[in-house]
Amino acid sequence: MEMITSLLAGILFATGVYNLLQKQLLRIVIGTALISHGAHLFILTMGKLKRGNPPIIVEGVENYVDPLPQALILTSIVISFGVTSFLLVLAYRAAKTNDTDNMDELRGNENE
Amino acid sequence: MSNLAVLPILLPLLAGIIVAFFNTKLTAVRLFSRIVAILNLVVVLYIGWDVYQNGTIILETGGWKAPYGIVLVADMLAMLLIITTNIIAVACVFFASKSLSDRKETYYFYTFFFLLITGVSGAFLTGDLFNLFVFFEVLLMASYALIVLGGEKVQLRESLKYVLLNLFSSMLFVTVISFLYSVVGTVNMAQVAERVQEVEQKGILTTIGILLFFVFATKAAVFPLYYWLPKSYIVPNPVVSALFGALLTKVGIYSILRTFTIIFHHEVDITHQLFLWLAAFTMLFGVIGSLSTHNIKLIVAYNIIPAVGFMLMGIALFTETSVAGTVYYLIHDMIVKGALFLLVGAIAILAGTSDLRKMNGLIHHYPVIGWLFFIASITLAGIPPFSGFIGKILLMQGGLEKDQYAVVIIGLLTSLLILFSMIRIFIQGFWGEKDETFTPDKKGARGFTWPIAFLVFFSIYLGVGAETVYPIVEEISKSLLDPSQYIESVLKE
């Protein structure tokens, strides 16, 4: 199971990076979203995927799941949600004001 | 009294939230922000004094014991940097109303300003790697909002790259933390350090260390990852540029300093050797950039990069002298960069242009700003008795102790070129014939002068009063090179 999720995380990273390197702004935003999904899946995998009881100390129960990766993912998801929504607004405004969503034309001084 | 450690995070956070509700009542908000900024400085000075007297303050948040909960570690290094941060914050809050338009101020400038301070203080204080990521995000979110404040064409264009790059490196940061978690099974820095020590930093851990360095190096603008910095730092308002230039890259350097002195210090031949050459290239390429342009803001922005190189060099050499040099250079550079960004911002507003070729004889109109700029420039270049000199001499001494002559020579050459790039602004912009047709804005200039003079005063004090600061820095350096001290104080074994 770890193998499959690791591979999936890898695929998400690869497609994310591919999209990040595109010229169209929207594709870049989608790329960042894919990368963050990859990272979250990766945290889950690294914390070992196993079945077990909730992490509450009860006598006689030995098999607990690790709560930390879940806490980390939750925090990370909230943050990347916020950043992605900000990025979408920013991309929209940037495309409107500069009359283009092509990164090549958003390059620098020579295009001012 | 361990709850003291949370105040540098809590005060600006609360202030930022309160200010958000009264954003249209500008006079009240300005007054309130100034009072809170000064109050915050007083509070952190008190905490710093307390830490200096009684040793590190550890706060286990929510009462969870050290390796399980999040800890805040207020040691001397963190407190020294937070005090410096708040000195800059005070200068910026007084400068803000002079350089920002009322409209920009009502669009939650002070809220984001305080959140930025919250994030920076939190990043300095935290003793938990994942929490470090969270505070990075807090300060980055605030910086995203500040960099687009005003929403001009060029701002939107440059901030897009800034946001994307930081987003990418943040995601990488999360990935690296999960790698580290799977290997050592903890994210508490002290416990990570302990466990890395137990297995003597085997191959995989060195790889994770380098990955972590890559993340911090992107934030700190180390060669070859500095390309995003100069242009995105000159587009926002001067006061925002000053905050960015003074604080953001330094958080990255601080993180490298912490992780590579406490955690990953067992394979010095691999990691620190790499840093040494990256430091040399960072210095060289940064200063070349600053010589390549006539835009005064861009010259100062490029000068951030060689400073990062100097600090990285101290970490790479990894001796007591050189780490002390890094810490000294860190506080010196925060203050002087804040002052310089405010200065070039003020000059650009007062002269009506940031193109060096269109300026002439400004010293006849604005003598005080001219001389302040001169002092700040030679401080940056490291002319004795100013503060840059003390940091640099420690770094060079460290380099000679380790027989790294090539890097020392590159460092000295870079200092010379920094001096050249800064003095060029002074000679071309301030010297020359008085332009009679130019009508100076004396009143505006006075408003700019005080916050800048405040920062320059501290900058001079760090140089002339080095006797009082250096013992603290030396102690910090000793404690950084002896990680067991940090581990024991956090885990209380």
Side-chain angles (χ1 to χ4, degrees):
Chain A
M1 193 60 189
E2 271 90 353
M3 197 66 201
I4 299 169
T5 45
S6 314
L7 276 175
L8 190 57
I11 291 167
L12 279 170
F13 262 101
T15 44
V17 170
Y18 175 78
N19 274 300
L20 207 59
L21 297 174
Q22 298 293 303
K23 285 173 190 165
Q24 214 184 339
L25 260 179
L26 194 58
R27 281 175 199 256
I28 294 172
V29 179
I30 292 171
T32 60
L34 286 175
I35 289 179
S36 66
H37 288 329
H40 299 153
L41 197 63
F42 195 68
I43 302 176
L44 196 67
T45 318
M46 286 289 126
K48 282 199 185 131
L49 302 164
K50 63 172 184 186
R51 283 160 188 271
N53 288 25
I56 302 166
I57 294 181
V58 184
E59 248 175 76
V61 181
E62 295 285 306
N63 192 17
Y64 296 117
V65 290
D66 188 355
L68 197 73
Q70 300 174 15
L72 301 189
I73 293 169
L74 205 59
T75 317
S76 178
I77 284 175
V78 175
I79 289 171
S80 66
F81 167 73
V83 178
T84 309
S85 52
F86 176 82
L87 190 58
L88 277 169
V89 177
L90 180 66
Y92 175 73
R93 278 292 304 266
K96 270 247 161 165
T97 336
N98 288 292
D99 290 323
T100 174
D101 70 339
N102 187 337
M103 281 311 258
D104 262 356
E105 290 167 26
L106 292 170
R107 217 185 309 171
N109 298 343
E110 61 269 31
N111 284 310
E112 253 165 24
Chain B
M1 284 295 273
S2 67
N3 279 339
L4 273 179
V6 82
L7 283 180
I9 303 173
L10 205 61
L11 274 180
L13 181 66
L14 284 177
I17 294 169
I18 292 169
V19 164
F21 290 109
F22 302 102
N23 66 320
T24 48
K25 302 191 174 47
L26 258 187
T27 348
V29 163
R30 275 179 199 156
L31 188 68
F32 178 75
S33 308
R34 286 171 187 184
I35 291 169
V36 172
I38 293 172
L39 178 75
N40 206 6
L41 180 60
V42 173
V43 168
V44 296
L45 277 171
Y46 172 71
I47 303 172
W49 174 251
D50 193 68
V51 171
Y52 184 61
Q53 294 290 316
N54 306 324
T56 311
I57 300 177
I58 312 279
L59 174 62
E60 288 158 341
T61 50
W64 290 86
K65 285 273 165 282
Y68 307 109
I70 292 166
V71 281
L72 298 177
V73 186
D75 61 355
M76 263 330 283
L77 174 62
M79 284 324 295
L80 196 62
L81 292 174
I82 289 175
I83 291 169
T84 320
T85 305
N86 279 293
I87 289 172
I88 291 155
V90 169
C92 284
V93 87
F94 278 90
F95 194 89
S97 61
K98 308 287 188 302
S99 74
L100 287 162
S101 65
D102 285 359
R103 193 163 167 274
K104 283 184 188 170
E105 273 181 284
T106 51
Y107 275 84
Y108 306 104
F109 168 78
Y110 291 103
T111 303
F112 294 121
F113 166 79
F114 279 121
L115 289 180
L116 188 76
I117 303 297
T118 311
V120 173
S121 309
F124 288 146
L125 277 176
T126 185
D128 182 288
L129 264 180
F130 193 78
N131 201 232
L132 181 65
F133 160 74
V134 174
F135 277 118
F136 261 118
E137 285 308 302
V138 171
L139 73 92
L140 283 174
M141 271 313 261
S143 78
Y144 299 157
L146 284 174
I147 198 172
V148 290
L149 195 72
E152 286 161 32
K153 204 170 170 180
V154 59
Q155 262 181 320
L156 288 165
R157 195 186 67 206
E158 294 303 329
S159 56
L160 202 59
K161 295 159 203 166
Y162 173 79
V163 174
L164 280 172
L165 200 100
N166 277 302
L167 186 57
F168 181 71
S169 72
S170 293
M171 279 307 133
L172 213 59
F173 194 4
V174 178
T175 318
V176 175
I177 290 172
S178 65
F179 264 129
L180 196 62
Y181 181 70
S182 80
V183 178
V184 295
T186 176
V187 287
N188 181 300
M189 281 203 248
Q191 210 181 10
V192 171
E194 197 182 40
R195 292 193 176 167
V196 170
Q197 202 167 6
E198 273 167 27
V199 297
E200 285 162 348
Q201 198 178 339
K202 292 244 163 55
I204 181 84
L205 281 167
T206 308
T207 316
I208 291 170
I210 298 280
L211 269 172
L212 205 56
F213 171 75
F214 178 84
V215 172
F216 294 144
T218 317
K219 315 256 187 210
V222 172
F223 173 85
L225 302 161
Y226 64 78
Y227 48 86
W228 56 274
L229 184 135
K231 287 237 175 90
S232 60
Y233 272 32
I234 62 164
V235 290
N237 195 274
V239 57
V240 178
S241 300
L243 281 169
F244 282 20
L247 303 177
L248 295 194
T249 50
K250 309 305 177 295
V251 179
I253 279 289
Y254 162 81
S255 310
I256 297 176
L257 182 63
R258 257 284 191 257
T259 45
F260 282 89
T261 51
I262 290 178
I263 305 175
F264 301 106
H265 60 91
H266 303 281
E267 291 283 356
V268 179
D269 288 345
I270 302 171
T271 51
H272 292 63
Q273 195 66 28
L274 173 75
F275 300 168
L276 193 64
W277 287 107
L278 286 181
F281 281 121
T282 311
M283 291 185 230
L284 216 52
F285 281 89
V287 82
I288 289 171
S290 74
L291 292 173
S292 71
T293 169
H294 288 283
N295 184 337
I296 53 170
K297 288 183 178 176
L298 208 53
I299 293 176
V300 176
Y302 266 115
N303 265 320
I304 292 178
I305 300 161
V308 169
F310 278 113
M311 291 176 247
L312 189 64
M313 174 185 161
I315 300 169
L317 291 167
F318 208 57
T319 66
E320 211 169 275
T321 331
S322 72
V323 173
T326 299
V327 176
Y328 211 98
Y329 206 86
L330 197 57
I331 43 177
H332 143 74
D333 197 58
M334 281 165 90
I335 290 180
V336 79
K337 280 286 148 52
L340 273 172
F341 269 103
L342 291 181
L343 271 166
V344 290
I347 293 167
I349 293 172
L350 293 172
T353 172
S354 56
D355 192 335
L356 202 49
R357 285 165 294 192
K358 290 180 190 151
M359 287 178 200
N360 200 6
L362 284 175
I363 201 146
H364 301 292
H365 302 296
Y366 307 114
V368 182
I369 288 193
W371 289 114
L372 282 175
F373 184 81
F374 182 71
I375 294 173
S377 303
I378 57 176
T379 307
L380 181 72
I383 308 261
F386 296 108
S387 55
F389 173 71
I390 319 267
K392 264 173 200 160
I393 198 166
L394 290 169
L395 289 171
M396 297 310 150
Q397 224 177 328
L400 294 178
E401 276 169 24
K402 284 245 169 166
D403 297 330
Q404 299 288 359
Y405 298 109
V407 180
V408 170
I409 290 168
I410 290 174
L412 292 174
L413 181 72
T414 308
S415 303
L416 210 61
L417 290 175
I418 290 175
L419 182 65
F420 175 56
S421 74
M422 295 309 296
I423 287 299
R424 205 165 56 119
I425 302 181
F426 188 71
I427 290 174
Q428 285 191 18
F430 284 96
W431 282 1
E433 291 295 308
K434 188 175 181 177
D435 187 357
E436 296 295 347
T437 56
F438 185 82
T439 45
D441 177 9
K442 293 273 187 200
K443 193 166 168 288
R446 265 200 298 280
F448 291 135
T449 309
W450 282 111
I452 297 168
F454 177 72
L455 284 182
V456 170
F457 165 76
F458 277 102
S459 198
I460 294 172
Y461 176 74
L462 273 179
V464 181
E467 293 261 319
T468 53
V469 187
Y470 181 68
I472 304 174
V473 172
E474 203 178 17
E475 207 175 299
I476 292 171
S477 165
K478 268 187 197 140
S479 71
L480 278 174
L481 289 180
D482 179 20
S484 58
Q485 217 172 317
Y486 181 88
I487 297 170
E488 272 163 28
S489 67
V490 174
L491 298 178
K492 296 203 184 83
E493 279 160 358

